[in-house]
Amino acid sequence: MTRATTVRAVLAAAVLLVSVYITLTMSPALGLDLRGGTRMVLQAKDSATAVADRESTDRTLEVLRQRIDSLGVAEPTLTRSGEDRIIVELPDVQDPRKAAEVLGRTAQLTFHAVQGPGSPEAKGDKDRLSLPDERGRHLALGPAQLSGAGVKDATAVFDAQQGAGWTVDLAFHKDAARDWTALTGKAACHPAQDDRRRVAIVLDQQVISSPQVDPSVGCDVGIPSGSTRITGSFSADEARELALLVQGGALPVPVEIVEQRTVGPTLGAAAIDASAAAALIGATATALFITFVYRLFGALAAVALAAYGVISYAALVALGVTLTLPGLAGFVLAIGMAVDANVLVFERAREECADRPSRSLRSALAAGFRNARSAVADSNVTTLIAAGLLFLLGSGPVKGFGVTLAIGVLASMFSALVIARALTETAARSRFVSDYRGVNGIARPGRVRTWLTRRDPRLFASPRRWLMVSIAVVAFAVLGILVRGVGLGVEFTGGRLVEYSTSRPVDVETARTAIAAAGFGDAEVTTAGAGDLSVRTGELDNDEEHALRAALAAEGGETAKVRDELIGPSLGDELRRNALIALAVAVSVQLAYLAVRFRWTFAVASVGALVHDIVVLVGAFAWLGRTVDGIFLAALLTVIGYSVNDSVVVFDRVRELWARNRRLPLATVADRAVLQTVPRTVNTGMGALFILVALAVLGGDSLADFALALLIGVCVGTYSSVLTAVPLALVLERSSKAPPPVRTSKRRTAPAPRGGTLDNGARV
């Protein structure tokens, strides 16, 4: 065993041991869409006295934290997002009405002098505030003399001695106590039973109590104790809620709920089980496939694939990444894509053995790793770019998918270039493995390569023909977008989407009639799989949602909320705008990267194929009537990375062969490059397809659209990287005056001391 192989083996063993330890001793942080609960996004708003900036939003967050702690929610999470948004995650909270009420109320508690009787007409008058008191009679109120910020403590108390029932006792800070004394002293100057002897306590523009100042209080003397009692015929719950709001403090700025998502725990558990089953079945199918194709070396790659799963999972846990449903799907998907580097290496090693049958197995394998290095690096960088864009421009669970995908890419490179290499290099030293070509799996050309060698097709004799086919496919996709329209999800349009599970089956028409009778005639009702009902409406607050659920319960018996998504119109516009920005940035970044790594013609051709894939995928969803939402955006950006990945592998081979055969026509070079990379494309695509089919079949409704989008994207991306990108590059090269590339990678492709090289790339 060489020193380099020993170092790789020791490093692989160390990383695996640490990963196994982390896997056995630590648990992953599950997102709310997997463990169940409610997630809210609050938007801070400017008020008459404060601006919703970073500082005021941070103060608001702390006030909200106190309120949530008082609610008794286990392990709540509050974080600021950007300058003026707060993300609140409440595990195990299935009915967000109570939480939303407490969080959303601004608790602007103010104390006013009563100036006399008011009138409803003056209610909106800025100069004269008129509000109804507890009995509904309007009072004219003076400007606020004291705010809730001056309240030191608030306690709900049951007064059994004086028969006042539940009350709220307030204690004021020192400065506020003086203001309270002055306010009650002025009120005491008016005769008993006069409205002007009252003090109005107003919470969020509603008079909750307007008591008379006790006759024992003298004029201009006031109540000196710095405390008071709010009475108002409160129930126990009302008194406790008021005390909670006041004690938590007035929010520095008002907040508005712009997004709200609720997921039932059963849905999350089902998603975990489905994803685990999909991962097991898909990974097993992938392992069996690469073992069948590459024999012993394929089996060793399958062992490295299992190690990849442990390492990437341990990395997710160790880094504290919150595992969301899209992130879990990304983890499963990365298993299928993790074999890509191994396939690239094995195919290059097969080429070495085919070109020089006398070459030793160790030399061919080393050349395979050396020659595949460029394609592996470029293809993984493009996927990392897509993952970075998902994290930077995505929202909510989509960010988790980006993180998971990035970790998966890095772990797969370690698995292929360290673990798999250590295993295969050790096996290659065995005389038995080296001598028996049918055992090692790379000393003989594969079936696909043999068939292509025998047929030797000329694919690009007429590249415009393939471009016409691609244009026709794009035109059909655009027609679907124009005729059927793109069904944007609630995330992009705003509104509310709720899924319900009923104890008795309810057909869509019956549910639609019941909901319309309850006053929700514009609601769209569809089935959501497994007999569940999906209801989509425009603006719908929590009380209205409760009424809608009650209408369904009248027809279907016990009705449970499975999923609940509320997106404000402003946030929907922002998410839609960000989605377009994400696509534009993705295309631009990929173009810039490819232009640096390759010729501008290759870069433009790759991006042209990428745009082809985007349009076709969106058009396919339009024809199928599927919803385009944030999860679809995650799939779309993943397809972008996959498509460019394939194009990079093809153009990397075109560049290599063209540099060594500068006098050959580019079309001939492209034919050879494509035929040499087709086995890799087929074998890698099969690994991804196994996983995606398992996700589509077992993932249920929550993952069906995601898996379907990736299935379509992988198939279309595989086609376009060969039959769109390459023909477009050939057409562009006709007008390019740049000379053929220079063989800059000579040292990597030169014959190794132990013999063997490619003979101009003519054999496949």
Side-chain angles (χ1 to χ4, degrees):
M1 183 181 294
T2 65
R3 181 178 179 181
T5 303
T6 303
V7 171
R8 293 188 189 99
V10 171
L11 178 61
V15 172
L16 273 174
L17 286 175
V18 173
S19 299
V20 170
Y21 175 78
I22 293 174
T23 301
L24 296 177
T25 58
M26 299 177 65
S27 299
L30 298 181
L32 291 184
D33 53 354
L34 293 179
R35 66 181 296 187
T38 297
R39 179 181 187 271
M40 297 178 181
V41 177
L42 308 178
Q43 175 80 56
K45 300 288 187 180
D46 293 341
S47 67
T49 58
V51 177
D53 55 12
R54 181 186 296 263
E55 182 180 353
S56 61
T57 303
D58 284 337
R59 295 200 311 269
T60 301
L61 186 148
E62 292 306 317
V63 173
L64 293 176
R65 193 187 306 278
Q66 294 180 33
R67 295 184 183 180
I68 292 176
D69 290 342
S70 301
L71 286 174
V73 178
E75 301 180 10
T77 302
L78 287 87
T79 55
R80 178 170 52 79
S81 175
E83 291 286 332
D84 55 0
R85 281 190 184 151
I86 298 172
I87 298 176
V88 181
E89 294 186 346
L90 307 174
D92 304 322
V93 174
Q94 303 304 314
D95 187 355
R97 285 195 304 159
K98 186 71 172 179
E101 182 179 354
V102 173
L103 292 176
R105 291 179 66 176
T106 56
Q108 296 292 338
L109 186 70
T110 52
F111 298 80
H112 302 255
V114 177
Q115 297 178 339
S119 63
E121 292 77 13
K123 183 177 182 180
D125 192 338
K126 296 181 180 179
D127 299 327
R128 189 184 182 194
L129 183 63
S130 180
L131 296 174
D133 64 7
E134 310 92 296
R135 299 178 178 83
R137 190 167 67 90
H138 276 75
L139 298 175
L141 307 182
Q145 303 294 318
L146 182 64
S147 72
V151 177
K152 181 179 181 181
D153 193 16
T155 309
V157 177
F158 183 75
D159 188 351
Q161 294 181 349
Q162 299 183 10
W166 282 96
T167 64
V168 177
D169 288 354
L170 303 182
F172 296 99
H173 292 291
K174 185 175 182 181
D175 293 340
R178 288 196 292 268
D179 294 335
W180 173 248
T181 300
L183 176 62
T184 53
K186 291 181 179 179
C189 294
H190 300 283
Q193 305 305 319
D194 191 320
D195 283 336
R196 292 173 295 175
R197 194 177 178 90
R198 300 166 68 181
V199 174
I201 305 174
V202 179
L203 181 67
D204 291 342
Q205 297 296 303
Q206 182 178 4
V207 177
I208 56 174
S209 183
S210 56
Q212 288 263 356
V213 176
D214 192 270
S216 62
V217 177
C219 177
D220 292 329
V221 175
I223 301 175
S225 62
S227 63
T228 190
R229 169 170 291 183
I230 303 176
T231 60
S233 301
F234 298 123
S235 66
D237 290 339
E238 290 171 341
R240 292 192 185 100
E241 181 182 342
L242 175 58
L244 169 64
L245 289 169
V246 175
Q247 186 177 20
L251 297 182
V253 289
V255 293
E256 175 188 359
I257 299 176
V258 295
E259 179 183 354
Q260 177 180 300
R261 298 176 188 269
T262 300
V263 177
T266 56
L267 180 62
I272 294 175
D273 294 340
S275 299
L280 180 61
I281 294 174
T284 302
T286 302
L288 291 175
F289 175 74
I290 61 174
T291 301
F292 173 77
V293 174
Y294 299 109
R295 304 295 194 277
L296 175 62
F297 280 12
L300 295 177
V303 173
L305 182 63
Y308 153 80
V310 175
I311 292 171
S312 57
Y313 176 80
L316 289 171
V317 174
L319 295 174
V321 176
T322 300
L323 196 58
T324 61
L325 182 57
L328 187 61
F331 175 78
V332 176
L333 173 64
I335 294 176
M337 300 176 68
V339 300
D340 180 51
N342 289 318
V343 171
L344 278 168
V345 170
F346 293 161
E347 288 300 326
R348 294 306 296 258
R350 275 182 169 178
E351 292 173 13
E352 298 290 330
C353 291
D355 291 334
R356 285 287 297 272
S358 61
R359 190 169 197 175
S360 69
L361 180 62
R362 285 194 303 162
S363 175
L365 185 63
F369 276 102
R370 184 171 59 249
N371 294 332
R373 191 180 304 152
S374 175
V376 170
D378 286 333
S379 59
N380 281 286
V381 166
T382 56
T383 306
L384 286 173
I385 290 173
L389 293 174
L390 283 169
F391 179 78
L392 294 174
L393 300 175
S395 64
V398 175
K399 286 182 178 288
F401 175 77
V403 174
T404 306
L405 186 62
I407 291 175
V409 169
L410 297 176
S412 69
M413 291 183 68
F414 181 84
S415 168
L417 302 181
V418 178
I419 299 178
R421 184 165 187 175
L423 292 173
T424 53
E425 286 181 342
T426 302
R429 297 180 65 85
S430 167
R431 181 178 296 276
F432 173 80
V433 174
S434 179
D435 291 345
Y436 290 89
R437 298 192 172 193
V439 173
N440 58 60
I442 66 172
R444 290 180 178 177
R447 289 179 173 83
V448 175
R449 186 180 297 278
T450 302
W451 182 83
L452 291 173
T453 302
R454 185 171 60 251
R455 296 294 298 267
D456 194 22
R458 293 291 179 256
L459 294 174
F460 304 116
S462 178
R464 295 183 185 275
R465 177 184 58 188
W466 294 113
L467 291 180
M468 294 302 296
V469 173
S470 297
I471 291 173
V473 173
V474 169
F476 182 73
V478 172
L479 182 64
I481 295 172
L482 296 177
V483 174
R484 298 292 300 272
V486 179
L488 296 178
V490 172
E491 282 180 277
F492 296 141
T493 61
R496 193 158 188 172
L497 176 67
V498 193
E499 290 184 10
Y500 298 100
S501 176
T502 57
S503 58
R504 297 192 303 267
V506 180
D507 62 79
V508 172
E509 288 301 324
T510 302
R512 188 178 291 119
T513 301
I515 291 173
F520 305 99
D522 60 343
E524 300 177 13
V525 184
T526 58
T527 56
D532 293 346
L533 293 170
S534 175
V535 181
R536 177 173 174 171
T537 68
E539 294 186 10
L540 186 76
D541 61 28
N542 289 315
D543 291 331
E544 290 172 332
E545 184 277 323
H546 188 73
L548 190 151
R549 193 193 324 174
L552 282 178
E555 298 290 339
E558 184 178 353
T559 301
K561 184 164 54 176
V562 178
R563 183 170 66 131
D564 185 358
E565 296 184 9
L566 181 150
I567 303 292
S570 61
L571 184 61
D573 292 339
E574 180 180 327
L575 291 175
R576 186 167 62 248
R577 183 174 61 253
N578 286 347
L580 295 176
I581 293 174
L583 291 178
V585 171
V587 172
S588 302
V589 171
Q590 300 285 11
L591 177 61
Y593 177 78
L594 294 171
V596 172
R597 294 290 294 143
F598 297 97
R599 300 164 68 87
W600 72 267
T601 53
F602 291 2
V604 172
S606 297
V607 171
L610 183 154
V611 174
H612 165 279
D613 298 342
I614 293 174
V615 175
V616 171
L617 183 52
V618 175
F621 262 54
W623 280 115
L624 295 173
R626 298 281 185 164
T627 301
V628 172
D629 53 12
I631 304 302
F632 174 84
L633 177 63
L636 187 60
L637 289 175
T638 306
V639 168
I640 288 175
Y642 185 89
S643 175
V644 177
N645 183 314
D646 270 0
S647 299
V648 162
V649 171
V650 174
F651 283 130
D652 183 77
R653 189 65 60 88
V654 171
R655 177 179 58 184
E656 177 184 336
L657 295 182
W658 198 13
R660 296 187 329 204
N661 303 270
R662 303 185 70 185
R663 295 183 179 181
L664 281 179
L666 181 56
T668 303
V669 174
D671 277 329
R672 294 176 179 176
V674 168
L675 294 182
Q676 289 179 8
T677 55
V678 160
R680 170 266 168 194
T681 302
V682 172
N683 294 338
T684 298
M686 290 298 294
L689 289 177
F690 286 135
I691 295 291
L692 292 174
V693 170
L695 277 176
V697 174
L698 301 175
D701 291 335
S702 55
L703 291 176
D705 283 356
F706 177 82
L708 177 63
L710 285 174
L711 273 171
I712 296 173
V714 167
C715 295
V716 174
T718 301
Y719 164 85
S720 68
S721 62
V722 174
L723 299 178
T724 301
V726 176
L728 182 56
L730 293 176
V731 172
L732 293 174
E733 280 291 341
R734 292 176 182 176
S735 59
S736 174
K737 297 181 180 180
V742 179
R743 189 177 177 182
T744 56
S745 56
K746 184 175 182 180
R747 284 189 298 174
R748 284 186 292 169
T749 57
R754 289 184 287 269
T757 185
L758 296 175
D759 61 347
N760 296 330
R763 289 196 180 101
V764 291

mmCIF file of all heavy atoms in Angstrom, residues 152 277 284 350 594 623 665:
data_model
loop_
_atom_site.group_PDB
_atom_site.id
_atom_site.type_symbol
_atom_site.label_atom_id
_atom_site.label_comp_id
_atom_site.label_asym_id
_atom_site.label_seq_id
_atom_site.Cartn_x
_atom_site.Cartn_y
_atom_site.Cartn_z
ATOM 1 N N LYS A 152 -45.026 48.753 35.760
ATOM 2 C CA LYS A 152 -43.976 47.912 36.324
ATOM 3 C C LYS A 152 -44.409 46.458 36.429
ATOM 4 O O LYS A 152 -43.630 45.537 36.186
ATOM 5 C CB LYS A 152 -43.597 48.443 37.710
ATOM 6 C CG LYS A 152 -42.488 47.666 38.413
ATOM 7 C CD LYS A 152 -42.172 48.300 39.758
ATOM 8 C CE LYS A 152 -41.059 47.557 40.464
ATOM 9 N NZ LYS A 152 -40.762 48.167 41.779
ATOM 10 N N ALA A 277 -37.983 5.379 3.922
ATOM 11 C CA ALA A 277 -38.217 4.235 3.037
ATOM 12 C C ALA A 277 -37.671 4.506 1.640
ATOM 13 O O ALA A 277 -37.058 3.629 1.013
ATOM 14 C CB ALA A 277 -39.715 3.922 2.975
ATOM 15 N N THR A 284 -30.498 1.282 -1.999
ATOM 16 C CA THR A 284 -30.260 -0.137 -2.285
ATOM 17 C C THR A 284 -30.261 -0.401 -3.784
ATOM 18 O O THR A 284 -29.396 -1.114 -4.314
ATOM 19 C CB THR A 284 -31.328 -1.000 -1.592
ATOM 20 O OG1 THR A 284 -31.296 -0.760 -0.181
ATOM 21 C CG2 THR A 284 -31.080 -2.470 -1.861
ATOM 22 N N ARG A 350 -11.924 2.836 -17.476
ATOM 23 C CA ARG A 350 -12.277 1.890 -18.541
ATOM 24 C C ARG A 350 -11.662 2.320 -19.878
ATOM 25 O O ARG A 350 -11.206 1.488 -20.673
ATOM 26 C CB ARG A 350 -13.795 1.797 -18.667
ATOM 27 C CG ARG A 350 -14.428 0.802 -17.715
ATOM 28 C CD ARG A 350 -15.923 0.721 -17.934
ATOM 29 N NE ARG A 350 -16.497 -0.407 -17.218
ATOM 30 C CZ ARG A 350 -17.791 -0.704 -17.207
ATOM 31 N NH1 ARG A 350 -18.644 0.066 -17.882
ATOM 32 N NH2 ARG A 350 -18.237 -1.750 -16.548
ATOM 33 N N LEU A 594 -18.945 29.401 -16.226
ATOM 34 C CA LEU A 594 -18.602 28.607 -17.399
ATOM 35 C C LEU A 594 -17.752 29.396 -18.388
ATOM 36 O O LEU A 594 -16.895 28.825 -19.071
ATOM 37 C CB LEU A 594 -19.880 28.103 -18.068
ATOM 38 C CG LEU A 594 -20.698 27.101 -17.240
ATOM 39 C CD1 LEU A 594 -22.041 26.838 -17.897
ATOM 40 C CD2 LEU A 594 -19.941 25.800 -17.068
ATOM 41 N N TRP A 623 -48.984 22.230 -18.171
ATOM 42 C CA TRP A 623 -49.835 21.244 -18.843
ATOM 43 C C TRP A 623 -50.448 20.263 -17.851
ATOM 44 O O TRP A 623 -51.608 19.843 -17.999
ATOM 45 C CB TRP A 623 -49.029 20.474 -19.884
ATOM 46 C CG TRP A 623 -48.836 21.185 -21.192
ATOM 47 C CD1 TRP A 623 -47.668 21.616 -21.732
ATOM 48 C CD2 TRP A 623 -49.853 21.558 -22.132
ATOM 49 N NE1 TRP A 623 -47.879 22.233 -22.942
ATOM 50 C CE2 TRP A 623 -49.222 22.203 -23.217
ATOM 51 C CE3 TRP A 623 -51.238 21.403 -22.163
ATOM 52 C CZ2 TRP A 623 -49.915 22.702 -24.310
ATOM 53 C CZ3 TRP A 623 -51.943 21.896 -23.256
ATOM 54 C CH2 TRP A 623 -51.283 22.532 -24.315
ATOM 55 N N PRO A 665 -12.246 18.311 -37.436
ATOM 56 C CA PRO A 665 -13.454 19.144 -37.369
ATOM 57 C C PRO A 665 -14.093 19.043 -35.984
ATOM 58 O O PRO A 665 -14.108 17.969 -35.368
ATOM 59 C CB PRO A 665 -14.358 18.545 -38.449
ATOM 60 C CG PRO A 665 -13.438 17.807 -39.361
ATOM 61 C CD PRO A 665 -12.316 17.307 -38.506
#
